[in-house]
Amino acid sequence: EAEVAQSPRYKITEKSQAVAFWCDPISGHATLYWYRQILGQGPELLVQFQDESVVDDSQLPKDRFSAERLKGVDSTLKIQPAELGDSAMYLCASSLEGLNSPLHFGNGTRLTVT
Amino acid sequence: QQQVKQSPQSLIVQKGGISIINCAYENTAFDYFPWYQQFPGKGPALLIAIRPDVSEKKEGRFTISFNKSAKQFSLHIMDSQPGDSATYFCAAMTTDSWGKLQFGAGTQVVVTP
């Protein structure tokens, strides 16, 4: 079964440093999502793309977070500068275009900021 | 403010028993209610989902019960197995904002042999 690929699996960085995560969605999935999951909580949507366009970034802390999906396929989420409170699991998900298409999540990148 | 409230936070059930997880919501615009299963180190995986026009949906050992008037829904895991030990999340979203899932805080289920 096709999967959403994410890298790296783990990342440790010092506060004030820059960090980037990469996601490759399931082939053919036009919609891509970045979610953040703080330990012990449910995931929270950060940004949603339809092809290369941002559909929803209302929960993205834009002063330090940025996301792009330049060719409408893979995507990068960047944090600069990282803060201690950014320690979390960053999950990428994708779905086919249209309603009733389930979200398929990758296994995430576990970020620890020291 | 959490839009979906989930309980209990954790539960322990014996093999063969029934696990019950409850969720409540306030936003009556929600019209899609999925449940996700998450194992340690893995991303959430869709387990089963329901829309508010039905009161119950069953897939194998997993059943969702939905009470629209009470704005509550629950997951029942019948004949629980040790392999069911995981964290379960309820979620909700609107068709207008497809993909913007509002997750509950999760329930850690442990099934003892």
Side-chain angles (χ1 to χ4, degrees), chain A residues 13 19-20 35-36 42 54 60-61 63 65 69 74 76 80 97-98:
Chain A
T13 191
V19 64
Y35 276 79
R36 176 172 62 185
V54 173
L60 188 71
D63 57 337
F65 285 64
R69 194 184 184 198
D74 58 340
T76 302
Q80 182 175 19
E97 185 174 358

Side-chain angles (χ1 to χ4, degrees), chain B residues 52-72:
Chain B
D53 53 345
V54 297
S55 60
E56 185 174 283
K57 184 174 182 180
K58 182 177 181 179
E59 289 184 4
R61 296 184 293 106
F62 300 91
T63 300
I64 299 178
S65 297
F66 188 86
N67 186 329
K68 187 175 181 178
S69 61
K71 292 184 286 186
Q72 295 176 348

Side-chain angles (χ1 to χ4, degrees), chain B residues 15-38:
Chain B
K15 179 181 176 180
I18 302 173
S19 304
I20 302 174
I21 306 169
N22 300 298
C23 286
Y25 64 97
E26 287 298 324
N27 187 351
T28 55
F30 288 147
D31 57 4
Y32 180 75
F33 301 87
W35 285 88
Y36 282 83
Q37 179 187 56
Q38 186 174 31

